[in-house]
Amino acid sequence: MTFTAEPDIKEWANGVALNPARVPPGHPGSAQLDDARERLGRYTRPGLERLAALS
């Protein structure tokens, strides 16, 4: 929610190719989309934890 609170960041995020918030509910899946979403879910938390450790 914080990410999209800033209008310029929200505009940028809405243009990013792989933004899970852009996939509308009921959108038919595909092997590529399903794989990308699975990897995003798997690596988001570890990536954020690593960023925090580096800061």
PDB file of all heavy atoms in Angstrom, residues 7 14 49:
ATOM      1  N   PRO A   7       1.792   8.990  -6.176  1.00  0.00           N
ATOM      2  CA  PRO A   7       1.255   8.930  -7.540  1.00  0.00           C
ATOM      3  C   PRO A   7       2.294   8.590  -8.609  1.00  0.00           C
ATOM      4  O   PRO A   7       2.006   7.807  -9.514  1.00  0.00           O
ATOM      5  CB  PRO A   7       0.669  10.320  -7.773  1.00  0.00           C
ATOM      6  CG  PRO A   7       0.409  10.853  -6.405  1.00  0.00           C
ATOM      7  CD  PRO A   7       1.454  10.251  -5.522  1.00  0.00           C
ATOM      8  N   ASN A  14       2.333   0.660 -12.435  1.00  0.00           N
ATOM      9  CA  ASN A  14       1.281   0.206 -13.340  1.00  0.00           C
ATOM     10  C   ASN A  14       1.808  -0.070 -14.747  1.00  0.00           C
ATOM     11  O   ASN A  14       1.141  -0.718 -15.539  1.00  0.00           O
ATOM     12  CB  ASN A  14       0.144   1.220 -13.392  1.00  0.00           C
ATOM     13  CG  ASN A  14      -0.696   1.169 -12.141  1.00  0.00           C
ATOM     14  OD1 ASN A  14      -0.740   0.170 -11.441  1.00  0.00           O
ATOM     15  ND2 ASN A  14      -1.361   2.263 -11.846  1.00  0.00           N
ATOM     16  N   GLU A  49      14.223  -9.269   2.907  1.00  0.00           N
ATOM     17  CA  GLU A  49      15.044  -9.485   4.093  1.00  0.00           C
ATOM     18  C   GLU A  49      16.508  -9.196   3.797  1.00  0.00           C
ATOM     19  O   GLU A  49      17.220  -8.594   4.608  1.00  0.00           O
ATOM     20  CB  GLU A  49      14.879 -10.914   4.604  1.00  0.00           C
ATOM     21  CG  GLU A  49      13.508 -11.162   5.225  1.00  0.00           C
ATOM     22  CD  GLU A  49      13.231 -12.625   5.530  1.00  0.00           C
ATOM     23  OE1 GLU A  49      14.060 -13.498   5.184  1.00  0.00           O
ATOM     24  OE2 GLU A  49      12.154 -12.894   6.108  1.00  0.00           O
TER      25      GLU A  49
END
